[in-house]
Amino acid sequence: MARARRETPGCDRVLHFNNAGAALMPRRVVDAVVAHLHLEADIGGYEAAAQRDAAIEGVYDAAARLLNCERDEIAIIENATRAWDMAFYSLKLGTGDRILTSMAEYASNYIAFLQVARNTGAAVEVIANDEYGQIDVSALESAIDSHVKLIALTHVPTNGGLVNPAAAVGRVARAAGIPYLLDACQSLGQMPVDVQAIGCDMLSATGRKYLRGPRGTGLLFVRRALVERLEPPMLDLHAAEWSARDGYTVRPDARRFENWECHIGGKIGLGVAIDYACELGLEAIGGRVQALAERLRQALGALSGVTVQDLGRERCGIVSFSTDRKKAHAVREALAAQQINVSASPAAWTRLDMTARGLQAVVRASVHYYNTEEEVTRFCAAVEVLASGK
Ligand SMILES: *Cc1c(COP(=O)(O)O)cnc(C)c1O
């Protein structure tokens, strides 16, 4: 951990509890991105890409290692939302088809459900939570019938520490033979995420959050058996070949979900970030993150005027809370003035969950393995002052 801090330039400058927003990049990642920009400036963008071809191809191997899949099941896309969209909008849905999802769903995903429901007559149905606040797997099981064409789950919501039982949902999806799309945007990089153990068919994630990669990077996994059955909603000369005057051939691998032009330096940086996480080990990262977050939850919970808002039986590195005296954005601003970084998560980003709980917004403090116990103490002291109005 001392090593992780030494290798993270931002640790000296800020108390960074905004790892679910964008984590601090390790020096190695920054160096890889910057080196590639310099190479582009020095020898030309196409020439730089050709020279660094092995590193670019290595990103697919790194992602496949991280997720326990094959390299041809990976697409590197500019963010998690567009990765998720490319999978979702490839599904052919029609009147009477049912999409099953959870209370924790992210706004962008739900907006896409609503759009497709409006345009096709498909129905979007939300499975209730169980007593822990996670998706009720037996309710999901009872909802299955031949009209269900997709199960879409958010593994870890944007607004709290809940970890949904992704593998239990996977068993239901597998048994019924229904495609299963997992939004792993907040889980990937902070805990082991194994697509075989989970049993999902499609998975999206971003580079900048717990993976500690550069902004403007994301990835999509699509199981090989499904890739060829999913024609992306948009194609270009990278995703497909113009093979006859009136015909085209879509690529056979998951890169059919990509587009040609991208931020090559960022892509290389993403590969470096993934390798760095694998080197430290996702089990070890998960243990450290969970312990630190639990310590933070306990300490915040002990402060008067502070309410911890996390749901779930299993919880992760995201700690959400509210204070009696100040709104979430005011807490975020007051902390920012002290070089303490958190996010405020508004109701509209996870509307189903927030309105069910009567919450307008929560403060989101998200820890990573490079954060320290001393930072937890300092953070809680700052929150205590704000919460007491001193
Ligand atoms: C942040 C987030 C996203 C979107 O990721 P982008 O890379 O910004 O597109 C998707 N789902 C969840 C749960 C998120 O928290």
Side-chain angles (χ1 to χ4, degrees):
M1 203 258 308
R3 182 194 133 191
R5 288 185 75 76
R6 255 196 331 274
E7 293 175 354
T8 304
C11 284
D12 298 336
R13 296 173 180 263
V14 288
L15 193 168
H16 195 69
F17 282 3
N18 195 14
N19 294 288
L24 297 175
M25 285 181 279
R27 190 183 309 280
R28 229 193 269 183
V29 172
V30 185
D31 288 350
V33 177
V34 172
H36 193 76
L37 291 179
H38 280 300
L39 191 63
E40 288 181 338
D42 289 345
I43 69 168
Y46 285 31
E47 294 72 15
Q51 195 178 109
R52 299 290 287 135
D53 186 56
I56 296 165
E57 287 302 315
V59 182
Y60 296 86
D61 297 309
R65 219 167 19 248
L66 176 69
L67 292 171
N68 189 22
C69 66
E70 302 298 328
R71 71 195 306 280
D72 64 356
E73 296 178 311
I74 297 289
I76 306 296
I77 295 176
E78 60 265 37
N79 56 59
T81 302
R82 196 40 47 91
W84 187 97
D85 285 342
M86 289 306 283
F88 175 66
Y89 285 98
S90 295
L91 297 163
K92 301 271 177 290
L93 298 168
T95 309
D97 288 344
R98 300 167 66 209
I99 300 167
L100 302 184
T101 190
S102 75
M103 291 293 288
E105 212 56 18
Y106 187 63
S108 299
N109 304 354
Y110 210 85
I111 290 167
F113 295 149
L114 294 176
Q115 187 192 30
V116 164
R118 197 171 284 174
N119 291 340
T120 67
V124 45
E125 296 172 38
V126 180
I127 304 300
N129 284 339
D130 68 10
E131 73 266 34
Y132 300 102
Q134 59 182 20
I135 186 172
D136 185 334
V137 179
S138 51
L140 173 70
E141 216 164 356
S142 326
I144 300 292
D145 67 16
S146 62
H147 298 289
V148 177
K149 294 293 154 60
L150 175 69
I151 296 172
L153 181 72
T154 294
H155 196 188
V156 167
T158 208
N159 67 329
L162 162 73
V163 182
N164 261 320
V169 168
R171 285 190 285 277
V172 174
R174 281 264 163 109
I178 296 166
Y180 173 21
L181 170 56
L182 185 67
D183 177 339
C185 201
Q186 291 293 13
S187 53
L188 198 63
Q190 70 154 315
M191 62 184 73
V193 174
D194 177 328
V195 295
Q196 312 309 339
I198 289 173
C200 58
D201 301 294
M202 300 161 281
L203 175 150
S204 58
T206 205
R208 74 179 186 280
K209 294 181 178 176
Y210 275 95
L211 276 176
R212 307 183 67 195
R215 295 201 65 172
T217 62
L219 61 85
L220 175 68
F221 153 79
V222 179
R223 199 172 287 286
R224 195 180 277 159
L226 205 57
V227 170
E228 295 211 13
R229 289 200 276 132
L230 294 183
E231 179 157 336
M234 290 167 286
L235 292 169
D236 72 353
L237 48 62
H238 169 80
E241 187 196 346
W242 193 6
S243 47
R245 192 181 195 290
D246 297 316
Y248 62 87
T249 316
V250 186
R251 290 180 69 112
D253 59 13
R255 294 191 207 187
R256 63 173 52 194
F257 301 104
E258 296 182 344
N259 55 90
W260 190 83
E261 173 61 354
C262 66
H263 177 24
I264 306 275
K267 191 165 172 174
I268 293 172
L270 174 65
V272 174
I274 293 173
D275 285 341
Y276 192 82
C278 291
E279 207 177 291
L280 292 171
L282 273 301
E283 286 284 350
I285 290 173
R288 165 82 188 153
V289 167
Q290 214 164 34
L292 206 56
E294 206 42 59
R295 187 186 185 102
L296 177 57
R297 259 178 223 115
Q298 304 256 322
L300 285 172
L303 300 178
S304 72
V306 177
T307 310
V308 174
Q309 300 287 2
D310 293 325
L311 301 176
R313 184 176 198 168
E314 187 192 339
R315 294 173 185 185
C316 65
I318 301 179
V319 179
S320 60
F321 65 95
S322 48
T323 69
D324 297 343
R325 298 181 63 102
K326 280 195 162 61
K327 293 204 156 103
H329 73 270
V331 172
R332 182 185 62 75
E333 278 169 23
L335 292 171
Q338 305 170 56
Q339 284 75 51
I340 297 175
N341 298 341
V342 295
S343 282
S345 199
W349 290 3
T350 42
R351 179 168 291 284
L352 300 176
D353 170 49
M354 295 289 272
T355 52
R357 293 196 278 156
L359 295 168
Q360 310 271 309
V362 291
V363 185
R364 183 184 68 182
S366 44
V367 300
H368 218 324
Y369 58 82
Y370 56 75
N371 292 122
T372 64
E373 286 76 4
E374 184 274 328
E375 286 181 316
V376 169
T377 305
R378 196 145 52 87
F379 180 81
C380 291
V383 172
E384 184 172 24
V385 172
L386 295 175
S388 67
K390 271 188 260 177

